[in-house]
Amino acid sequence: MPALLERPPITAPEAEVTGGGVTRPASAPARHRGPGRDLFIDLLRLFGIAVVVLEHWSIPVLSYAQGRITTGNAFTTPGAFAITWITQVMPLVFFAGGAANAISHRSHLARGGGEPLWLAGRVRRLAWPVLPLAVVWIPLPHLLLALGLPEQPVQTAARLAGQLLWFLAIYLLAVALTPVLLRLGERYGGRVPAALAAGAVVVDVVRFNGLEAAGFLNVGLVWLAVHQLGFLYAGGRLGGYRLMAAGGFAAAVALVAFGPYPGSMIGMPGAAMSNMAPPTAALLAVAFGQIGLAMILRPAILRLAARPAVGRIVTWAGPRMMTVYLWHMSALFVVAGVAVVGLGIATPAPGGAAWLAGWPIWLAALVLVVRPLIRLFARFEEPPATSYGTTGRTVGGRPDGTTGRTPDRVPDRAPGWARALSSAALAGAGLLTLTITGFATGVTPMLGSAAIVTGLALVTPVGNRNRSRRGAAQPSASSQT
């Protein structure tokens, strides 16, 4: 495994190699790149979020009767589970996130910034867009119930609105461990993800021999292993893509065929177990296969990305990616509430003629609803920047490392490890709480949201928050997401 993962940096004709072995397409227009960016990684993240949204919008099987909404999954159709081996794209998102974190961390340190400040910026970047979601969804179930809407559909929607935050909770753990895991990766290379993968297999053995709770250790082991592969890519040390693709998918086939693993890579209604909650070695095998396949297709992806139309999509979608992810389920609840609960229109049987005919109309309705949500809440994608006087650094900002902001005053010293780690822990605990309970009526969502706010407050001194001066200042060279 270590030999597989430690190949020379990519030097294909279609790519140019930047510092640290990070590759960029030679043919990509300069305007599609920001300082320290990797277009391939940006495209993987956008692709991942787009597939997640499309899947969430397409798979619900809904009906309503006697005050209760019944939910099903289109992938329960015989043979449809195979689609999830491609559409379960969270491994690609974690892989791209690992590469982005490595690039961002290296760039920040090269400018003289400290690791606690880098972590503080990442916490703010991840947690800040969640605040408007909480502001809307905490009172919304109470309001809808007061207006006389049936309780079960309202509570179901409120719970599901928070469940998608599981990704941010786990990703924040990966971010907090990035400085340590980067150093381990620099020293041991591919041995780190190999060890994490081996640990995930051991956990599954223990889990399937009676200790079910042990499986939750794989929440860390599986996703950190995939995240670590992103580090190797950012350092130009990821190779053997065909072997990764063939070996990963072949291992997944064997595990499903001869092991206790279900065929679907997402949770299915009524299934005895899930490959996702907690993640399993079968999902990790699919992750290796997907990443290998993505790397094989990388030259073609970059050639496609060089087209102006694709570049315009990337330019538009990049700054709105988190907003789309956080609010796409809200759009689904609006459309389902009107069509299924309000008008009593049940979704047709998946895969049939009626389902295929209605699917474009369903998606069009969802796009119409989500567009104003994106316009309204995309402004919260970028947290307010905070300049720290002792370092001259800026926390927050755009993904390319710029903010377009200037400080109103020089604040106190930058956060140290105690504040940065406390902030990450509080924000992570709040996100995990909302993942478990959602925004259903009760005090728990308020406590989870309060933990996020407190975590953000630790790295966002209120008196030192900057004000935007549109068009007046050049981007700060020392800023960092």
Side-chain angles (χ1 to χ4, degrees):
M1 177 70 73
L4 166 67
L5 298 175
E6 295 184 50
R7 295 291 183 87
I10 300 170
T11 56
E14 78 282 356
E16 59 178 337
V17 180
T18 66
V22 180
T23 57
R24 292 178 184 158
S27 58
R31 66 178 179 276
H32 294 160
R33 307 177 197 161
R37 307 289 303 178
D38 184 303
L39 181 59
F40 174 66
I41 292 302
D42 288 344
L43 288 170
L44 278 189
R45 290 198 291 184
L46 289 175
F47 171 76
I49 296 302
V51 172
V52 167
V53 171
L54 182 62
E55 186 175 68
H56 285 174
W57 281 358
S58 301
I59 64 176
V61 179
L62 307 171
S63 61
Y64 179 73
Q66 298 179 344
R68 297 184 64 84
I69 190 167
T70 302
T71 60
N73 191 311
F75 286 150
T76 56
T77 304
F81 73 87
I83 301 174
T84 66
W85 290 39
I86 299 299
T87 62
Q88 173 48 279
V89 290
M90 294 315 295
L92 292 179
V93 176
F94 272 95
F95 168 74
N101 283 331
I103 295 168
S104 170
H105 183 272
R106 181 179 59 230
S107 177
H108 180 79
L109 295 187
R111 292 195 300 270
E115 288 182 327
L117 183 60
W118 176 84
L119 176 57
R122 302 306 274 184
V123 171
R124 285 163 48 78
R125 185 80 195 167
L126 287 168
W128 185 262
V130 178
L131 296 185
L133 187 75
V135 168
V136 170
W137 270 101
I138 286 178
L140 185 59
H142 299 272
L143 176 62
L144 296 177
L145 293 174
L147 292 174
L149 273 69
E151 181 173 5
Q152 189 265 352
V154 169
Q155 298 285 18
T156 298
R159 285 193 297 271
L160 292 175
Q163 284 185 8
L164 51 78
L165 297 177
W166 73 267
F167 161 65
L168 294 181
I170 299 171
Y171 187 70
L172 190 54
L173 171 66
V175 167
L177 293 175
T178 287
V180 174
L181 292 176
L182 268 175
R183 283 190 281 272
L184 287 175
E186 289 168 0
R187 182 171 182 179
Y188 298 107
R191 295 179 181 86
V192 180
L196 292 168
V201 173
V202 171
V203 166
D204 274 5
V205 171
V206 174
R207 173 186 177 183
F208 295 126
N209 279 276
L211 189 56
E212 183 69 23
F216 287 97
L217 292 172
N218 273 352
V219 172
L221 293 172
V222 168
W223 295 122
L224 288 177
V226 178
H227 192 257
Q228 198 77 16
L229 293 177
F231 291 172
L232 292 177
Y233 168 84
R237 303 170 70 181
L238 184 65
Y241 318 132
R242 288 173 175 80
L243 182 57
M244 282 184 66
F249 286 124
V253 169
L255 289 170
V256 170
F258 304 107
Y261 303 97
S264 174
M265 292 300 138
I266 65 173
M268 303 296 283
M273 67 162 292
S274 166
N275 280 315
M276 265 294 293
T280 64
L283 178 64
L284 183 57
V286 168
F288 271 81
Q290 287 184 350
I291 293 168
L293 181 60
M295 293 300 296
I296 292 170
L297 296 175
R298 182 178 182 276
I301 292 171
L302 291 175
R303 285 195 296 270
L304 178 64
R307 297 182 178 181
V310 177
R312 287 192 292 270
I313 293 173
V314 172
T315 300
W316 181 89
R320 298 166 176 84
M321 182 169 55
M322 180 74 79
T323 305
V324 172
Y325 178 76
L326 291 176
W327 290 96
H328 76 278
M329 289 298 288
S330 298
L332 176 63
F333 302 145
V334 172
V335 175
V338 172
V340 180
V341 177
L343 301 178
I345 304 173
T347 53
W355 187 89
L356 292 173
W359 183 61
I361 300 173
W362 176 262
L363 291 183
L366 288 164
V367 170
L368 287 176
V369 173
V370 83
R371 283 189 65 184
L373 294 177
I374 294 172
R375 290 175 62 90
L376 180 61
F377 295 110
R379 71 192 70 184
F380 298 99
E381 191 102 1
E382 178 186 337
T386 300
S387 178
Y388 289 98
T390 58
T391 64
R393 303 297 173 206
T394 302
V395 176
R398 302 189 184 105
D400 64 1
T402 65
T403 63
R405 299 169 181 261
T406 54
D408 290 323
R409 66 177 74 176
V410 176
D412 297 331
R413 61 183 181 179
W417 276 119
R419 275 169 59 191
L421 289 174
S422 297
S423 173
L426 284 166
L431 291 168
L432 183 60
T433 299
L434 295 178
T435 298
I436 296 170
T437 67
F439 294 101
T441 53
V443 70
T444 308
M446 301 180 194
L447 295 175
S449 301
I452 296 173
V453 170
T454 304
L456 286 170
L458 288 176
V459 289
T460 311
V462 176
N464 298 326
R465 191 171 296 168
N466 298 328
R467 299 172 184 173
S468 177
R469 296 178 179 176
R470 298 181 182 273
Q474 295 295 323
S476 168
S478 63
S479 61
Q480 177 61 45
T481 59

